[in-house]
Each structure stands twice: as C-alpha cells, then as structure tokens.
Amino acid sequence: MDYNKVLCGRIRNVPPSGIRKYFDLLQGMEGGISLGIGEPDFQTPWHIRDAGIYSLEKGFTKYTPNAGLSDLRSAISRYLKRRFDLEYAPAGQILVTVGGSEGLDLAFRCMLEPGDEVIIPTPSFVCYGPLVSMTHGVPVYVETKAENEFRLTPEELKRAITPRTKAVVLPFPCNPTGGIMERADLEALAQVLRGTDIMVISDEIYAELTYGGQRHVSMANLPDMYERTIVVNGFSKAYSMTGWRMGYLCGPKELITAMTKLHQYGIMSAPTTSQYAAIEAMDHGDGDIEAMQSEYDGRRRFLVDGFRKLGLSCFEPKGAFYTFPCIRSTGLSSEEFCDRFLEKEHVAVIPGSAFGPGGEGFVRACYAASMKDLAEALERLGRFLESLR
Ligand code: PMP
C-alpha cells in the first residue's frame, strides 16, 4: 500500500515541528537539562486538582453541553472582566475548547476560504502556519525585529495586507520571544485595521505572565476592535494545567455560535473532569497565578543576566516564560548551536529558526525550570561557549 497516496497533500506537505527532535534526543541522556519544552514546571495547584477529583467522586462523568458547563462559562466571564476588563456573555460568546490549540484550529477552520491569507508575525508559536495551511489558507509571515523588541509595527502590518487578507494573528505575549504589545502598540495596529474586514485572532494564552508591572492588554479592549477580535485563551500556562487540555474562545456571538457547531461535530464537549477543575481555577486561582508569576520573574532576570554575563546579547522578555538570546556571535546557525550544545553539555534549548522567519540567529530557552537547573545550564553554557573560542 502506498500510504503517500492515502494521505492528502495538505498533511504530507506540513513539516513536523522543529521542537520535538530535542526532546527525543534528550530522553536517553544522563544528567540532561531541558530548557526546551514550553510547559510550566509547577504542579497544578492542589485545590484545582481536588476539584477535578471531587467531580469524579460525585459521578460527574458524562458529556457536558457542547459549549462547556454553564457554570464554567460564567466563571470565565467573571474572570475576564475582573482580570482584563473584557466583557463576554457566558451564553453565546464563550466556547470551552480542548486547550487553546483547539481554539486556534476552530478559528481558522471556521473563517478561511481556500486562498485566504492570514498574517502571522514571527518568530512565533509553531502551530499557526500549519493550521492555516491545513484549512487551505495561506500563511503570510511577517518578521518582527529584535530592535523593535519583537513587536509588530503598523508599517509591517500594512505591508503584509492584500485583498486576500482574512485575518491577522496576534501572538502576544509571544512564544518564543517574550515580546508583548502595549496599548499604544495595539492602537497603532487598530488604526490600520479599522474600516477593513480583517479579523484579529488574538492568542492570549500567556496573558497572565507579564513582568515589570505591565498588565496584558487585549486587542478586544480597544475601540471598534471588540467586534473584529477572537480571543484564544486557556489554562495551560497561567495555572500550570497543560495536561488537563482546557482552553476557551471568546468573540462575537455569530462567530462563536458557528465555531460551537464545528466543536460539536469534532469534539462534542471538552473533558468533563477538567471543566470542573477549571471552574475552581477561575474562581479561586488568582493567588496561584501571582505566586507562579513572581517565581518566573525571578528566574527570568537570573537567566537574562546570566546570558549577558556570558557575552550573549539578550532582549529582556516582558512576557511568557521564554528568553531569546542571540547566538550569532558564536558563528553557528541556531540549529548547529542547539545540536552541539545538547550533544556536548546535555542541555536542550530550541533553535529560533523553528519559530519561523526572523528566528535564525537566536535560541529559545524556557525558564519554567528550577533555579538549580537554570544555574547548572548557565554553567554548562559558559563551558560550551569557551570551547567554541
Ligand atoms: N499558544 C501558544 C503561544 C502556546 O505557546 C501554546 C502552547 N505551547 C498554545 C497556544 C497551546 O496551548 P494549549 O493547547 O495547551 O492551551
């Protein structure tokens, strides 16, 4: 059987993620340290786990409504108002999804006609382009620049717009750069978008992880932008709940209703146990967020300082939990750097090139790791850089 003929061209042509390789290699390595995976190192706070367990004890093991438990949607609605001044009605404007990942997939699949273009600032999370391609859309990558602190500028956005532009992804706070967009930055983009039919898909999964007193601002907070923005969010990063697979979409009722249709046929409803845990997170998790955020902040400064002391220039990330040091001074490509560093010192970091155009010359190091591991990784990095001289 020729399975290449069985598989559709769209999936055959999508490249595998450039991230996975490093986990597979790190696996059998003695004393390996991973600064590779984009996953919190904390356990899900106990009271949240307890709420999931308790729901099982009570026998809540059936499907929920397609859009998610009504109590969860109400809790999300209160949370968004309290933390980000966003107003979404629990009935009709909020859809509970299987992670932010499903939310992104639904948003693209419900909006794109074949040939529709989606503007994707890069370097950014690896899934946007492949998801757009798999739904017959065309990803249009726009390189953000270190000298602009990896923000998307209105000029860059304007240059990328064509008559086929259907949507722009706003991946801020950004994985892998740690860049954020402040209100004034968003306002400048809004001025380009007002009066067009272009939608914004705002991936706000790291909204709770911003530093230096900066609070995340959503594009949906800006005048005239609410009706053209779909907010993608989830529980993985803020509450350390990656394995629970909980996320949500918010937006105009007409769109969320359509997305609920697709979710209903493809998923039915997000995992029930996780939904009960998520209610607890929304209602009683603010303290957990703050504790983890403050821990990340200390690690962030430690790692950025460490890179700079070793002679690598490093933009100070303002959000998420990644640093993105520049490794051009080593003369290696970012992939060579990561391969050799892993092979010699057993530390996994990810080549910037895995995150799209503009990532070459940088590596992503995640600080969702213990201080002990970060300190050890820096020591090994010092040794590695020395060996290159
Ligand atoms: N968006 C970004 C920017 C991410 O980094 C991730 C996870 N790495 C996701 C979305 C998806 O997260 P999840 O499906 O766990 O909610």
Side-chain angles (χ1 to χ4, degrees):
M1 192 89 167
D2 181 357
Y3 291 113
N4 268 328
K5 286 195 184 135
V6 177
L7 288 169
C8 66
R10 289 193 308 290
I11 194 73
R12 269 202 318 272
N13 296 334
V14 164
S17 160
I19 296 184
R20 208 69 237 172
K21 158 181 160 189
Y22 294 91
F23 303 126
D24 297 343
L25 287 173
L26 189 72
Q27 284 308 306
M29 278 186 180
E30 186 115 349
I33 296 178
S34 176
L35 306 187
I37 198 161
E39 179 161 51
D41 60 318
F42 298 104
Q43 271 291 356
T44 304
W46 181 244
H47 64 107
I48 298 175
R49 281 187 270 163
D50 215 17
I53 294 166
Y54 192 45
S55 77
L56 290 172
E57 284 178 357
K58 284 191 285 192
F60 296 151
T61 57
K62 303 230 155 71
Y63 294 129
T64 72
N66 295 130
L69 289 165
S70 132
D71 283 353
L72 175 55
R73 282 179 279 127
S74 297
I76 292 171
S77 175
R78 287 193 299 274
Y79 160 88
L80 288 172
K81 178 70 191 153
R82 177 173 81 245
R83 307 278 301 178
F84 300 107
D85 197 24
L86 286 170
E87 294 201 25
Y88 288 105
Q93 286 196 285
I94 298 175
L95 168 62
V96 178
T97 56
V98 181
S101 303
E102 191 216 347
L104 288 163
D105 192 30
L106 288 179
F108 294 131
R109 285 208 280 157
C110 289
M111 294 197 312
L112 300 183
E113 297 284 5
D116 279 352
E117 294 175 359
V118 178
I119 297 173
I120 302 172
T122 63
S124 62
F125 185 42
V126 293
C127 84
Y128 309 122
L131 289 182
V132 166
S133 301
M134 278 193 268
T135 195
H136 301 275
V138 180
V140 175
Y141 296 111
V142 175
E143 258 181 63
T144 59
K145 303 276 183 334
E147 61 262 31
N148 297 328
E149 300 192 319
F150 296 105
R151 294 163 206 256
L152 176 65
T153 69
E155 294 75 30
E156 288 161 348
L157 175 63
K158 225 182 277 175
R159 269 200 302 275
I161 292 175
T162 76
R164 290 309 307 260
T165 306
K166 186 69 175 269
V168 52
V169 174
L170 288 186
F172 299 101
C174 185
N175 167 11
T177 64
I180 62 166
M181 295 284 280
E182 293 174 53
R183 185 179 290 271
D185 303 315
L186 292 173
E187 179 49 44
L189 299 188
Q191 279 179 24
V192 177
L193 296 173
R194 287 187 190 111
T196 71
D197 290 326
I198 299 170
M199 288 295 299
V200 174
I201 299 174
S202 186
D203 182 351
E204 304 188 13
I205 201 109
Y206 293 102
E208 291 286 7
L209 297 177
T210 55
Y211 310 100
Q214 302 279 359
R215 197 75 191 127
H216 172 74
V217 179
S218 172
M219 189 53 122
N221 288 119
L222 271 64
D224 308 325
M225 296 310 288
Y226 181 79
E227 56 264 36
R228 58 173 71 245
T229 300
I230 292 169
V231 173
V232 181
N233 208 330
F235 295 74
S236 289
K237 317 291 170 169
Y239 301 98
S240 211
M241 288 179 70
T242 44
W244 298 79
R245 307 310 303 125
M246 271 284 98
Y248 52 93
L249 279 177
C250 310
K253 191 168 184 170
E254 293 77 358
L255 299 182
I256 296 298
T257 306
M259 291 172 194
T260 306
K261 262 195 310 196
L262 183 53
H263 170 82
Q264 167 194 326
Y265 290 123
I267 299 286
M268 284 292 258
S269 59
T272 302
T273 314
S274 303
Q275 291 194 49
Y276 281 99
I279 296 174
E280 173 67 17
M282 290 277 95
D283 283 343
H284 302 112
D286 292 6
D288 302 301
I289 293 174
E290 268 127 45
M292 289 190 262
Q293 189 270 0
S294 137
E295 181 70 27
Y296 288 136
D297 193 15
R299 299 170 183 185
R300 172 184 77 105
R301 281 179 284 166
F302 177 72
L303 203 52
V304 170
D305 271 6
F307 288 138
R308 289 179 179 165
K309 281 187 188 136
L310 291 172
L312 297 182
S313 72
C314 186
F315 150 74
E316 185 188 329
K318 306 269 174 45
F321 42 47
Y322 308 98
T323 51
F324 205 54
C326 178
I327 51 87
R328 285 202 190 102
S329 58
T330 63
L332 300 175
S333 74
S334 56
E335 193 166 348
E336 281 166 348
F337 182 97
C338 294
D339 289 356
R340 290 221 224 154
F341 188 32
L342 182 63
E343 191 193 333
K344 278 195 119 166
E345 295 292 345
H346 297 188
V347 179
V349 293
I350 308 290
S353 52
F355 302 96
E360 182 50 55
F362 297 86
V363 299
R364 185 189 81 175
C366 175
Y367 49 88
S370 69
M371 274 297 217
K372 184 168 157 283
D373 277 359
L374 296 180
E376 175 65 26
L378 281 175
E379 199 174 314
R380 295 187 196 181
L381 177 63
R383 213 157 50 208
F384 177 64
L385 293 173
E386 200 54 45
S387 76
L388 296 175
R389 288 200 181 106

